[in-house]
Amino acid sequence: MGRGSNLERVGGFNQAVVLDAIRRAPHGISRVELVQATGLSTQTVSNIVRKQLDLGLLNEGHKTVTGPGKPRTPLTIEPRSRFAVGVHLDPSVMTFVVLDLAGDVVARCRHEMPAVADPDTTVARMAAAIDGLVRTAKVPRDRVLGVGIASPGPINEDRGIVVDAPLLIGWQAVRLRESLRGATGLPVLLDKDVMAAAHAELWSSSRGENENFAFIYLGTGIGAGLVINGQVMRGASNNVGEIGHFSTGEDGPLCACGRSSCIGVAAMPAHLVETAVAAGVLEGPASGADPELISAAWVKLGALALQGDAGALGIVDASARRLARVVEDIANLMDVERVIFGGPMWAPVSERYLAVLQPTLSQRSAVSAIHDLEVIGSALGEDIAAVGAGCAILDHILAPKQMGLLLQD
Ligand SMILES: [Zn+2]
């Protein structure tokens, strides 16, 4: 079947440059316009376009005459020519998406993940879920370029290993990329969940190289993804954004690192739910409960705050203020124009958090005299990390830049 070989066949920097330019032109782009947009020669563009038409990656529209000179033939991406699978591995749930070449979700599903599962069983279930979803979506398997996995960090991306994901019990040093490659027969790429989320935002943005934002990811823990000049920042080991030990400036719960002002523990839904239970705002669950129960209690706490329950409001707003303090430092350090919040634990508190975060951060941006700081919630919803992991696969053929992520092929 030659699975994955498409990657090599459409590889190459110039080809990626051309495909990317076509993808970014919503109404299509002609060969002449491609020459102008890419700086490549007429002959090079013509050869690449011919090859990509042969591979079925492009559609050629009807010739139109819009003025003097040659008629214009617009080229567009053929969305159904290639697909990518994105998986988000979260302590409480696994999310799967199939993306077409345009980056649109064509199928999705979610599977509850048992709190204690051994990695081998989980990999087998992941492979079965991917098979099922690809079949449901009626996507020819030989058009699936690969599987991107978004995992809680830290990860050893070089070796495709999930190092020691908090709350993924039994997941120390799991060779996820290799195992899933074996189980699916597809190329597999591993990325950190926060990076994947930032990647998804970047894909849906039209600002290209002018994009500068911090993505604050609220999950079981907290992390940041950074996009500077249109590139996801990756660092020495693809682990940029470990902000869990940034100081809130307040005394709070004791962190594993020995300090008691770390945002990581202070902003954890598990800690805030525990605080709410201790204050009589919530009836349960008891501390140490598994992720599903914490998640349900977190939704309840957010809802109570929205209804104006004084106890819940106090806890949620204080948490948002602590978060603002940390995000202010990140925004100032990176000179970003936008801060985007999202991740699986964002939705229940988004309204209250934004009410606190927006005024605080806008006023406290050190460069506010030069440019505004936009503070928003992500529009991509709970699939965001899975979508971003799929986008990383598409980037291997579409994006004219060194990705920095390894594909197990
Ligand atoms: Zn700490």
Side-chain angles (χ1 to χ4, degrees), residues 80 83 98 106-108 131-140:
R80 295 196 61 83
F83 298 85
V98 175
V106 295
R108 63 183 297 277
D131 267 355
L133 192 63
V134 167
R135 243 180 291 120
T136 315
K138 297 192 165 57
V139 166

Side-chain angles (χ1 to χ4, degrees), residues 259-329:
R259 285 180 286 193
S260 57
S261 62
C262 297
I263 187 69
V265 270
M268 259 176 114
H271 166 69
L272 295 162
V273 163
E274 202 177 309
T275 307
V277 172
V281 174
L282 290 176
E283 280 174 13
S287 73
D290 61 26
E292 291 98 309
L293 289 175
I294 298 289
S295 184
W298 181 241
V299 171
K300 183 97 189 285
L301 182 63
L304 283 172
L306 264 190
Q307 288 159 19
D309 179 286
L313 262 181
I315 293 167
V316 168
D317 284 9
S319 173
R321 283 194 297 274
R322 287 191 287 269
L323 186 58
R325 157 88 193 241
V326 166
V327 173
E328 175 192 337
D329 290 345

